[in-house]
Amino acid sequence: MNGNLPTILVLGATGKTGSRVVSHLAQRAVAVRTAARSGADIDFDWSDRETYAAAVESVDRIYLMAPVLRTDFAPDVAVFLDAAEAAGVQHVTFLSAYGMEHAPEQVATRAVELDLIDRRRLGHTILRPAWFMQNFSETFLRPIDGAVVVPTGNGSEAFIDVEDIAAVAADTLADPGAHAAAEYSLTGPQALTVADAAAIIGRAAGRSFVHQDPDRDTWVAGVLATGIPAEYGAVLRQLTATIAAGNGSRPNDTVEKITGHPARTFDEFTRANASAWKDAE
């Protein structure tokens, strides 16, 4: 291990959450090792178990983000955690999902949670965030032809800024003893429908956006047609149906309790990112 500073491995370090975790950790008295398929300190690929041992060598703590757009990753993560234990890793902060504590153990993300909870040589913290605000500016909720198209009906969600997730993750990694075995549900401060969110985005961008609520099967088929693996369709159905049924995340103050600052509002997020939508098609 690093004789002076604890070394933290950040998986997915070039991605949406990982890159922000790295930025927040840069302000702490820790050494950071980044890992990704390319563009990081360590070449790491979940599909190549030969990359696991080098990633965890001489590491004290890990920010664990499971493979994206897969539903079969629990065995790979288990092998990775075996390697982490063998290397003497002390703590793992795992990015899970809101409400995952209620999911059956057959769901891969829940299986990883249970695996971590059962390991006695690895400390852990589990983060369960709501839907990301950045989904509206960076990924599948970006407006198209003046509309945010997603089958969530009139259900609401307490969208959270990824910066707040990263800030919480950095706190748990910098001081794992204070967050040992903790399970945190992370939300923004408001429950908004997608129609509400579209209107707020429109005000920030100086143009009009609306919510279109398509047939769920048609929407899922369209998303899968972009190249997303077919098995992920069930996840998309479950995520959108949960919100449409009125069971989306509800606001809490966990971010403020951990970081000392309130979670960012959706208005604040849209004002800071208005350029993302000014030229939206």
Side-chain angles (χ1 to χ4, degrees), residues 28 61 91 93 125 127 167-177 179 184 258:
R28 312 297 183 105
R61 306 163 194 172
H91 176 87
T93 291
T125 303
L127 307 183
V168 170
D171 276 358
T172 69
L173 291 161
D175 187 8
H179 305 280
Y184 296 129
I258 296 172

Side-chain angles (χ1 to χ4, degrees), residues 130-152:
W131 281 29
F132 301 167
M133 292 181 184
Q134 278 75 7
N135 289 337
F136 290 94
S137 59
E138 299 178 21
T139 54
F140 75 106
L141 295 181
R142 281 181 59 87
I144 300 172
D145 295 330
V148 180
V149 182
V150 62
T152 51

Side-chain angles (χ1 to χ4, degrees), residues 19-31:
S19 61
R20 290 171 169 95
V21 171
V22 171
S23 294
H24 281 271
L25 287 173
Q27 306 167 31
R28 312 297 183 105
V30 296

